[in-house]
Amino acid sequence: MSAFRALCAGLAATLVLVAAAPAGAATPDWVKPAVRHLADQGWLDRSEFRANKPMARAAFKTLVKRAFGGGYGRSKGKVRAAEVSRALVRLLDQQAAVDRLMGAASPGGWSPARPAYLGYEVVAREMGLRHDRPTDEERFEASATDPMTQADVAWAVWRAATSPSLSGAQALTKFGLADYDAPRRK
């Protein structure tokens, strides 16, 4: 009977641990290769990784320093998606594509207003540094001004360090605007 009691006690303890785990604590399958790589390189501490929690700027600064030797300087608050895009695009030396997007004008001279982060966001996406999450995880996707989750940051840094699509960014250096008439411009 004591073996049975020990088994029940062990099972009860396991159930308490599972019940106490925060919802969504599991690492999504799509980011596991990135987390594994970053941890194997010594760039990311798996014990502190929380996939769907925002990443602190200090943690991003440390991650970028370990992966690339530096390239991001802020350390207070949560890192926003546009900051991740900007840092990684600059580290991958793709500023020319950003400049082209931000300075593009139509043959007639029309140059629409653009938010400062737009070029970095577009280039980062073209390089594959942003992951399109599955439908059941869309609530965690960050727009440019939103804090970025640890999973999305891990994906971005992993892709930047291992396999960015530089051809996607370089294609943007030829971007131009068509000559739209006034109603289309509006």
Side-chain angles (χ1 to χ4, degrees), residues 9 11 60 96 103 114 145:
L11 181 59
F60 180 63
R114 292 155 259 216
T145 58

Side-chain angles (χ1 to χ4, degrees), residues 31 40 51 66 89 91 118-119 122 131-132 134 144 156 173 183:
V31 77
D40 288 350
R66 290 175 179 167
V89 165
L91 285 165
L118 179 70
V122 171
H131 181 76
D132 186 17
T173 61

Side-chain angles (χ1 to χ4, degrees), residues 10 16-17 24-25 31 33 44 55 57-58 66 69 81-82 94 118 120 155 162-163 175:
V16 167
L17 288 175
V31 77
L44 180 74
M55 181 172 273
R57 285 183 174 129
R66 290 175 179 167
Q94 298 303 311
L118 179 70
Y120 294 105
W155 172 271
T162 63
S163 58
F175 177 80

Side-chain angles (χ1 to χ4, degrees), residues 27 30 49:
T27 300
W30 61 267
F49 182 77

